[in-house]
Amino acid sequence: MSRHPEIRLAQKPDAPAIHAMLLEIAKTTDCEDKFRSTPDDLVRDGFGDSPAFEALIATDHQTPVAVCVFFPSYSTFRGKAGLYIQDLYVAPSHRGGGFARHLVANVARRARASGKSYIRLSVDAENMVGQRFYEKLGMRHASDERIFVLDGPAFDHLATEAN
């Protein structure tokens, strides 16, 4: 790409475009059956008084073509705060143009500007293109860690045990 993409902080009216791009991630990773969020969920949780996440949008002539969704993280081992990238998506028509790299670089810049010192993320085990991309950015695979998830009935059951 000869010029930097236009990148800006997402606003409430971007929720439908963000949602559409997240749905594309779900389709690409064969997880469409697990995709439950709505644009209203994103508005509620990302653009209220205490947002659970932020998102950067990359545009081409004001049309959103890429998104990076992230939120605060904290490492007790490092004793430092960071950011966790939850989702990174670039429309197929704009892949290879530097959009993903510029989005992650902008997240890193925002992290550093707010006193944070790292970025974490997870990538689908079968997404070799994504893994190579993150390695090119200088990220390393944390082979000494595993991601665990508690959700659905198991989450509900455990939560009822707390008194």
Side-chain angles (χ1 to χ4, degrees), residues 140-151:
R140 60 180 170 76
H141 175 244
S143 60
D144 58 337
E145 298 180 33
R146 299 256 190 252
I147 296 173
F148 285 80
V149 177
L150 180 67
D151 60 4

Side-chain angles (χ1 to χ4, degrees), residues 9-107:
L9 190 62
Q11 302 296 316
K12 194 182 293 189
D14 294 312
I18 295 168
H19 185 265
M21 290 186 273
L22 298 177
L23 179 57
E24 288 303 313
I25 293 172
K27 289 177 182 177
T28 301
T29 57
D30 291 326
C31 293
E32 193 173 0
D33 60 322
K34 297 176 186 174
F35 191 74
R36 302 273 186 265
S37 75
T38 67
D40 288 340
D41 294 330
L42 300 179
V43 168
R44 178 194 64 229
D45 295 331
F47 303 100
D49 291 336
S50 182
F53 68 88
E54 290 183 281
L56 292 177
I57 297 274
T59 60
D60 185 10
H61 298 96
Q62 284 88 39
T63 301
V65 295
V67 66
C68 187
V69 178
F70 57 95
F71 51 84
S73 176
Y74 188 80
S75 170
T76 56
F77 278 32
R78 287 183 180 98
K80 299 197 183 269
L83 291 176
Y84 187 91
I85 292 178
Q86 179 66 34
D87 297 296
L88 178 62
Y89 175 80
V90 179
S93 60
H94 287 73
R95 291 183 185 157
F99 282 77
R101 182 177 187 85
H102 285 291
L103 280 167
V104 176
N106 274 270
V107 170

